[in-house]
Amino acid sequence: MRAINEITITDAVLDQMSTTPDPRLREIMASLVRHLHDFAREVDLTPEEWLKAIGFLTAVGQKCTEFRQEFILLSDTLGLSSLVNALHDKRALESGTKSSLLGPFYRQDSPALPLGTCIVKNPKAPVIGIYGRVTNSDGEGIPNALVQVWQPDEEGWYDLQKNDPQDMDLRGSFRTDAKGNYYLRTIAPLGYMIPMDGPVGDMIRAQKRHGYRPAHIHFLVGADGYREAVTALYLSGDEHIDSDTVFGVTDSLVTEIRKPDSSSPLPDLPCIHFDFALAAKTAQDLSGRVGADPSQIIKKAAN
Ligand code: BEZ
Ligand code: FE
């Protein structure tokens, strides 16, 4: 019989879990237990502290609904979502547009819209354009690529946070033309504070962090045979561009709204011009989404 103490407990758990038939599950769980145990030993975790953490995680779960995903918010604010994105990008065989956070406000089934449509039902700020190409890693245009876009309004609110969260606004799905071009109308979003009325907000306040994300527009771009790009374009000049609460900004995703330009497909509008490059898909590539439509996560958990 093994003497269980604060050191031998780790091997005892690893031995018992070594029967796990799925090799990847075995690897992930063994590493998780090793790191969790090391963490508890490093900080000399007390029962009160662990119970407080369990209360916190319970509150995170209780805050989740089909319109709100507090666990994704936790992963985002701990930098874990961005880390998983960076690992995903590193695994690609070809270089493509860098990933950024999917965030908790993505929705499946946003309306399919013809190129050029405005994604805002009642714009209360000047309309701008966004255009560019979806290409492969050699710069060749990809026809019929799916470009899903979603963003907050001019005050920093997503449709999911408004009075009727069923009402879809500020989002749409476009298809590139035969040359891989896309273009759409929208408004410039405002940066916003992440949802702070839950346990993750309590954590952010306890750490004296500001809680803001810089202004950005989300994109999910995909085409058959290519890795899906889950990313966002950030607006330069935002005061929080270098201190995003969820670590989503990287230099290649920072863009500017430029003056109207006769060579643009929306020549009368100030526009953001950005080309998305998709890397070829490999047999190992499943999804690059760190997160999902909250309603889909709830549905899966219930089954
Ligand atoms: C977002 O960009 O939608 C977002 C990402 C992480 C946390 C909160 C919001
Ligand atoms: Fe966002």
Side-chain angles (χ1 to χ4, degrees):
M1 165 102 209
R2 180 194 324 242
I4 296 283
N5 61 32
E6 79 286 0
I7 303 295
T8 61
I9 179 72
T10 305
D11 278 341
V13 177
L14 294 176
D15 284 352
Q16 199 174 112
M17 296 193 323
S18 67
T19 51
T20 309
D22 179 331
R24 183 62 176 157
L25 180 62
R26 190 165 65 238
E27 180 188 7
I28 288 174
M29 288 304 296
S31 179
L32 180 68
V33 164
R34 263 189 264 110
H35 286 275
L36 268 180
H37 286 204
D38 281 344
F39 148 75
R41 283 186 283 261
E42 183 182 316
V43 300
D44 196 14
L45 196 65
T46 68
E48 293 77 18
E49 288 162 345
W50 184 227
L51 210 57
K52 198 168 171 184
I54 287 178
F56 172 78
L57 290 173
T58 304
V60 169
Q62 287 168 338
K63 196 74 190 168
C64 294
T65 68
E66 62 179 309
F67 303 118
R68 169 93 178 240
Q69 237 309 325
E70 195 78 357
F71 272 114
I72 294 182
L73 198 58
L74 180 59
S75 160
D76 295 342
T77 52
L78 295 179
L80 188 57
S81 303
S82 269
L83 170 57
V84 174
N85 277 339
L87 293 169
H88 175 73
D89 286 349
K90 200 170 150 212
R91 238 174 264 129
L93 294 182
E94 299 172 343
S95 69
T97 299
K98 287 253 179 286
S99 296
S100 190
L101 298 159
L102 185 86
F105 300 117
Y106 171 67
R107 280 171 115 160
Q108 266 175 221
D109 309 322
S110 67
L113 302 172
L115 287 170
T117 308
C118 186
I119 61 170
V120 191
K121 282 189 185 147
N122 295 304
K124 294 194 185 70
V127 172
I128 63 164
I130 309 180
Y131 72 95
R133 295 167 73 220
V134 177
T135 73
N136 63 19
S137 60
D138 292 328
E140 292 158 347
I142 304 175
N144 204 36
L146 180 64
V147 177
Q148 293 185 61
V149 55
W150 68 104
Q151 64 167 85
D153 66 14
E154 73 292 342
E155 293 183 339
W157 299 107
Y158 286 86
D159 54 1
L160 280 171
Q161 296 172 297
K162 297 196 190 185
N163 288 346
D164 180 3
Q166 309 274 9
D167 194 15
M168 285 214 199
D169 195 9
L170 296 138
R171 56 183 80 230
S173 298
F174 296 85
R175 291 276 175 184
T176 56
D177 68 14
K179 293 189 168 160
N181 296 305
Y182 75 92
Y183 49 99
L184 59 103
R185 290 175 167 80
T186 184
I187 56 168
L190 196 68
Y192 57 87
M193 204 176 243
I194 63 163
M196 295 285 276
D197 58 339
V200 172
D202 294 340
M203 178 189 82
I204 294 291
R205 274 185 293 274
Q207 296 169 334
K208 299 269 182 254
R209 294 160 69 181
H210 57 60
Y212 277 94
R213 294 218 68 201
H216 60 276
I217 300 172
H218 294 270
F219 284 87
L220 199 156
V221 182
D224 285 348
Y226 295 92
R227 291 182 129 213
E228 190 176 66
V230 178
T231 192
L233 303 182
Y234 294 87
L235 299 187
S236 68
D238 189 291
E239 65 175 306
H240 300 113
I241 199 88
D242 285 321
S243 61
D244 183 3
T245 304
V246 296
F247 312 98
V249 187
T250 188
D251 50 1
S252 62
L253 299 177
V254 178
T255 57
E256 279 177 30
I257 304 173
R258 296 193 184 276
K259 286 206 261 311
D261 171 355
S262 58
S263 67
S264 145
L266 301 164
D268 301 331
L269 292 179
C271 280
I272 295 171
H273 180 190
F274 193 86
D275 295 335
F276 296 95
L278 302 184
K281 195 171 187 155
T282 68
Q284 283 74 42
D285 287 327
L286 295 169
S287 170
R289 302 181 192 183
V290 183
D293 180 330
S295 66
Q296 301 303 311
I297 298 178
I298 291 272
K299 216 186 269 174
K300 270 205 182 128
N303 288 333

